[in-house]
Amino acid sequence: MNQFNPPVSVHFVWYPSNSLEVQPIFDYCFSLLSRDVEKPFSRSMNLPVYYRTSTHKGVPQEIKSLSQKNIVFIFVGRDLIIDKEWMTYTSRLLKQKDLICIPIALDNLAFKHHEINDKNFIRYYEFDKEYSKEIFFISITHEIYRYALNENFEMMTNSKDTALKLFLSHTKNGESGVVIAEALKKLIDNSAMRNFFDATDIAPGYRFDNEIVENIKNSTVIAIHTDSYSSRYWCQREIISAKDNNRPIIAVDSLEEFEDRRFPFATNIPAIHFNFNNEPTKIDLLKILSAALLETVRYFYAQLLLKQYKSVGVINDEDEILSRPPEVSDIEKILSTNEDGFIASRIKRLFYPEPPVYSEEINFLSKLGISCCTPLTMNYGSLENLVFGISISEPSSEELSIIGQTSAHLIQLSQDLTRHLISRGARIVYGGDLRGGGFTEFIFNESLAYQTRAMNNKKQLENYIAWPIYLKDSEHVKNWKASYISVAAMIELEPAKDVLKFIPNIDSFLPPVNTPNLYVWSRNLTEMRREINTKCNVRICAGGRITGYKGILPGILEEILFANSKSTPVYLLGGFGGVTASICESFKNKSLSEELTKKWQIQNNPGYKQLLDLCSEQGIDVKTDEEVLMSISNSILNNGLTYEENIKLFETSFIDEALFLVFKGLQNICK
């Protein structure tokens, strides 16, 4: 793949003392713009979202250009203004030519920032506190649309012209659709949101002529579904026009009693449902506007992302791209009449955004000889003969903060990776404890969903649990094990024979509270990883703790050393931080990263020196720094990727790009 450059990335920057106020706002925006990890099967845009703050004295890392448009929202308030170091840091960001910086005022002192006093702020402190999250989300998504996704932005001189246009499609016969449309328009026209939207509401009696079509061509359509909506000719024409002109659409479902037939063209779009007894509330209206903004950003981001894949040769020039999954209404766009008068498809392959839909949904196109796929499924091949060792674990919150990520980034990665591996028949071996909300749970949920859809009882997961972890199972964990018994083999390993003398009672849990107990834990974790290594023939790694682990080495490092010992193909996703990133740096520099050295580990892990001494007394070989470096440096990775592609895999924090490279390497291995 040629140099891939994602279209948009978004960063939030805030002063540490503002974290209690800003962190919930960031989490809310992340869950909508990227994906809510609590809803792993929902469609999402996977927009790259990061942050910058600091947990100690000083300023965070600089923001590098990660994409074609890098949008930075800087929260400014009193505490930042009086901190000279942070003033200098934010001034540098504002002067960085490859960043689009948008200031957010947390209080009225924000305007004292000497580098921003000529810029227009998002005035967060003026927002109604009851609805501040929703209004803030509408504000920032509108800026993302204006600066990064509105293709006409550069040609417009008036900022009002860059505002998103909304077309309110509804029946005019006195149903709740009229009430909702009028309330939306009133909210927009009588507030600061008139700067965000230009709401078009065609009056009754107008013909469906060029005025309406031209409005729809430049609008996001809000289709207000009431009982008679789908049966109204003009409403149907408005939806067809939006589909024909490739416009974002959302449905506001406000049925009061019954709809005898849903208009088929008004499907395959997001929908938001409300039951209105009287007038819609302000929060109802804000949720509608948020949904409209979200679909607008998702729609055009998907379009630009697929165009970028096309520009680097992943998607061929003759392939068609869509911003939503294929539907029957797309047939007219891809069929044409040939010179002999026969109707034939003018394309052979059609691409739509991740994640893939079930094959049953798009079988109608395969019957026309058209292949439908996402960038990650275009070279779909079975992986039934491969067994994957998955090493994804969360670094410390401090480590994640340095790279501007949260645990949600890694959870999202594990969800997407597991979904694709399991759907291709791969087996996964995994060593992890069983905790609600942990990475193991997400892997199991993906497998359970696939097993249900595939209607088979095949177990594709093996979960290894070292002694004594499973002896402390709570009632919740026991119930959890029972729930997933159909998809995973739970393998509880006995303690290593050489540590039995340190165990008072093999049937009782041994807490890792002193050096002998830590020695037992480390030996059992090592033997678990050794056993897993004999099973798997591919390993994929991301994240991992550099400190605070229970083994003799950081877990992912030990797993990689085992994999290297038998030349197992390894994929290192270093853009998600942790020990994997340190291993990637060591590979690139041919020099062991400081945090992987014994000296650094002893200084930063209380009790680690005593554990090493006990290992030495017991004759346990612990690899030296030189041996670790040699294993990393001599690793060919053997993963079907070129050196340059591996370096890109080491560095990218874009999930889709990382997975594309992994599956490209796997395809080459399978060949």
Side-chain angles (χ1 to χ4, degrees):
M1 181 169 66
N2 298 325
Q3 186 64 36
F4 178 82
N5 192 13
V8 187
S9 60
V10 177
H11 303 258
F12 293 79
V13 178
W14 68 83
Y15 193 75
S17 65
N18 299 129
S19 288
L20 282 177
E21 183 176 15
V22 178
Q23 184 74 52
I25 300 171
F26 170 81
D27 293 339
Y28 178 76
C29 293
F30 178 87
S31 70
L32 293 172
L33 292 173
S34 189
R35 182 170 71 224
D36 185 349
V37 295
E38 299 299 326
K39 300 175 182 177
F41 303 105
S42 62
R43 301 202 66 79
S44 58
M45 71 176 85
N46 282 5
L47 186 71
V49 179
Y50 309 98
Y51 73 94
R52 287 288 186 273
T53 189
S54 55
T55 55
H56 299 294
K57 185 174 174 57
V59 297
Q61 286 186 353
E62 302 294 326
I63 296 177
K64 297 179 181 178
S65 175
L66 298 178
S67 53
Q68 296 170 32
K69 297 284 182 69
N70 304 275
I71 299 180
V72 182
F73 295 102
I74 305 176
F75 290 85
V76 185
R78 180 202 63 190
D79 292 355
L80 188 152
I81 293 294
I82 61 177
D83 188 316
K84 291 182 180 179
E85 198 172 2
W86 266 82
M87 284 289 282
T88 302
Y89 172 74
T90 52
S91 295
R92 285 200 303 272
L93 294 180
L94 289 157
K95 293 175 181 176
Q96 200 169 318
K97 292 183 178 179
D98 51 10
L99 303 181
I100 300 167
C101 293
I102 300 166
I104 299 163
L106 291 173
D107 53 46
N108 58 9
L109 294 173
F111 309 105
K112 299 293 184 181
H113 197 301
H114 57 84
E115 290 288 349
I116 325 179
N117 53 21
D118 62 337
K119 293 183 179 291
N120 192 22
F121 281 72
I122 293 175
R123 300 182 178 226
Y124 176 79
Y125 71 96
E126 293 182 351
F127 292 168
D128 186 333
K129 293 303 178 186
E130 187 177 355
Y131 312 109
S132 59
K133 282 195 305 186
E134 289 80 12
I135 298 173
F136 178 78
F137 180 75
I138 290 169
S139 302
I140 63 117
T141 46
H142 184 263
E143 296 306 306
I144 294 170
Y145 166 75
R146 286 204 316 135
Y147 283 104
L149 304 174
N150 186 346
E151 293 180 338
N152 299 319
F153 178 76
E154 302 294 342
M155 299 181 291
M156 296 176 179
T157 55
N158 187 337
S159 62
K160 176 65 175 175
D161 294 335
T162 67
L164 175 66
K165 297 181 183 298
L166 296 178
F167 186 97
L168 308 178
S169 175
H170 61 92
T171 58
K172 311 293 193 295
N173 64 350
E175 290 181 325
S176 59
V178 175
V179 177
I180 298 169
E182 290 178 348
L184 276 171
K185 189 161 175 51
K186 182 178 178 182
L187 175 68
I188 293 167
D189 291 343
N190 296 328
S191 72
M193 280 183 282
R194 65 183 179 275
N195 297 317
F196 300 165
F197 303 115
D198 179 9
T200 301
D201 181 27
I202 302 301
Y206 273 68
R207 292 182 55 199
F208 195 91
D209 55 16
N210 288 339
E211 178 188 351
I212 297 178
V213 174
E214 290 304 314
N215 274 312
I216 289 175
K217 279 183 180 179
N218 299 299
S219 300
T220 290
V221 174
I222 298 179
I224 304 172
H225 279 192
T226 49
D227 294 24
S228 62
Y229 180 85
S230 286
S231 63
R232 291 293 190 267
Y233 174 72
W234 297 118
C235 295
Q236 292 184 7
R237 289 290 302 273
E238 287 163 4
I239 294 297
I240 291 172
S241 181
K243 290 283 180 80
D244 285 345
N245 289 285
N246 299 314
R247 300 307 302 174
I249 312 170
I250 71 160
V252 177
D253 197 333
S254 57
L255 297 182
E256 295 177 16
E257 293 182 8
F258 176 72
E259 183 180 38
D260 59 5
R261 188 180 81 98
R262 172 114 334 160
F263 182 48
F265 280 68
T267 59
N268 199 29
I269 57 175
I272 186 166
H273 178 74
F274 291 109
N275 288 314
F276 295 121
N277 295 321
N278 297 301
E279 293 234 350
T281 65
K282 185 173 182 178
I283 191 64
D284 293 331
L285 299 175
L286 290 173
K287 286 181 177 179
I288 293 172
L289 294 177
S290 293
L293 255 301
L294 185 61
E295 175 59 7
T296 303
V297 170
R298 187 210 64 77
Y299 192 91
F300 290 114
Y301 174 70
Q303 192 176 86
L304 291 178
L305 186 63
L306 292 174
K307 285 181 179 179
Q308 177 62 15
Y309 276 117
K310 183 173 279 194
S311 73
V312 298
V314 172
I315 299 175
N316 297 330
D317 286 339
E318 61 271 18
D319 294 331
E320 187 78 15
I321 60 174
L322 298 174
S323 288
R324 57 172 73 93
E327 58 180 283
V328 174
S329 67
D330 294 314
I331 291 179
E332 185 180 359
K333 301 174 186 177
I334 58 183
L335 294 181
S336 60
T337 304
N338 62 23
E339 57 187 16
D340 297 321
F342 293 104
I343 295 176
S345 171
R346 60 180 179 81
I347 65 166
K348 292 297 181 185
R349 200 164 57 160
L350 189 155
F351 281 85
Y352 64 96
E354 302 289 342
V357 297
Y358 298 138
S359 59
E360 292 85 352
E361 184 178 334
I362 50 179
N363 277 344
F364 72 96
L365 285 170
S366 64
K367 293 176 182 177
L368 298 174
I370 301 169
S371 170
C372 296
C373 51
T374 69
L376 294 181
T377 61
M378 66 175 179
N379 294 315
Y380 190 90
S382 173
L383 299 175
E384 287 187 7
N385 296 324
L386 294 178
V387 181
F388 289 79
I390 303 297
S391 304
I392 299 178
S393 61
E394 182 183 341
S396 69
S397 57
E398 186 175 339
E399 292 172 63
L400 285 171
S401 177
I402 292 172
I403 60 173
Q405 296 184 24
T406 69
S407 59
H409 288 82
L410 280 162
I411 292 171
Q412 199 173 321
L413 171 65
S414 71
Q415 290 172 342
D416 289 350
L417 174 62
T418 305
R419 176 182 294 120
H420 284 281
L421 291 178
I422 288 175
S423 67
R424 300 182 191 204
R427 286 174 54 211
I428 295 175
V429 292
Y430 185 80
D433 60 339
L434 302 176
R435 291 175 292 117
F439 290 96
T440 310
E441 179 176 3
F442 294 106
I443 290 174
F444 281 19
N445 279 333
E446 296 289 351
S447 184
L448 187 62
Y450 178 74
Q451 189 186 73
T452 302
R453 182 169 69 87
M455 293 184 290
N456 66 45
N457 296 319
K458 180 181 176 183
K459 291 185 179 181
Q460 292 177 249
L461 300 178
E462 290 183 6
N463 190 80
Y464 287 77
I465 312 170
W467 191 95
I469 295 171
Y470 52 82
L471 294 178
K472 202 178 181 181
D473 283 355
S474 65
E475 291 301 310
H476 174 74
V477 169
K478 290 176 183 177
N479 290 335
W480 200 77
K481 282 184 176 181
S483 299
Y484 293 103
I485 197 70
S486 65
V487 298
M490 309 285 185
I491 302 169
E492 298 176 348
L493 298 175
E494 295 294 322
K497 289 184 173 56
D498 60 285
V499 300
L500 291 175
K501 60 188 176 184
F502 292 96
I503 301 175
N505 183 351
I506 198 172
D507 296 320
S508 297
F509 180 76
L510 189 73
V513 293
N514 55 42
T515 301
N517 289 11
L518 281 170
Y519 173 74
V520 172
W521 275 66
S522 68
R523 287 288 301 120
N524 288 333
L525 288 170
T526 293
E527 292 307 309
M528 179 191 74
R529 293 170 185 138
R530 194 190 307 276
E531 176 69 16
I532 290 174
N533 188 56
T534 66
K535 304 287 185 182
C536 67
N537 42 33
V538 179
R539 181 160 289 282
I540 301 174
C541 305
R545 283 184 172 268
I546 296 175
T547 61
Y549 50 87
K550 299 294 191 296
I552 195 64
L553 289 172
I556 288 180
L557 175 59
E558 189 168 39
E559 288 167 336
I560 290 172
L561 295 179
F562 277 135
N564 288 346
S565 70
K566 67 172 200 175
S567 299
T568 298
V570 176
Y571 297 91
L572 301 178
L573 282 63
F576 301 89
V579 70
T580 306
S582 297
I583 294 167
C584 291
E585 288 301 311
S586 300
F587 182 93
K588 288 191 295 184
N589 300 331
K590 302 299 180 186
S591 172
L592 196 64
S593 295
E594 181 187 14
E595 61 271 18
L596 296 182
T597 64
K598 288 286 190 298
K599 180 180 178 181
W600 191 93
Q601 289 290 319
I602 289 171
Q603 291 173 345
N604 290 274
N605 282 298
Y608 189 61
K609 172 66 165 59
Q610 291 80 359
L611 177 59
L612 290 177
D613 290 341
L614 183 53
C615 286
S616 179
E617 291 173 14
Q618 297 299 315
I620 299 300
D621 179 36
V622 180
K623 289 190 180 297
T624 65
D625 289 352
E626 291 74 20
E627 289 172 326
V628 171
L629 176 60
M630 184 177 296
S631 176
I632 294 172
S633 299
N634 292 343
S635 169
I636 307 171
L637 298 175
N638 196 30
N639 60 10
L641 297 176
T642 65
Y643 177 83
E644 291 74 19
E645 288 169 336
N646 270 302
I647 296 301
K648 187 63 178 173
L649 184 62
F650 291 173
E651 296 172 349
T652 184
S653 57
F654 295 101
I655 291 175
D656 286 356
E657 183 181 22
L659 295 188
F660 178 86
L661 289 166
V662 169
F663 286 109
K664 180 178 182 180
L666 289 171
Q667 183 188 8
N668 291 333
I669 288 175
C670 292
K671 285 180 181 178

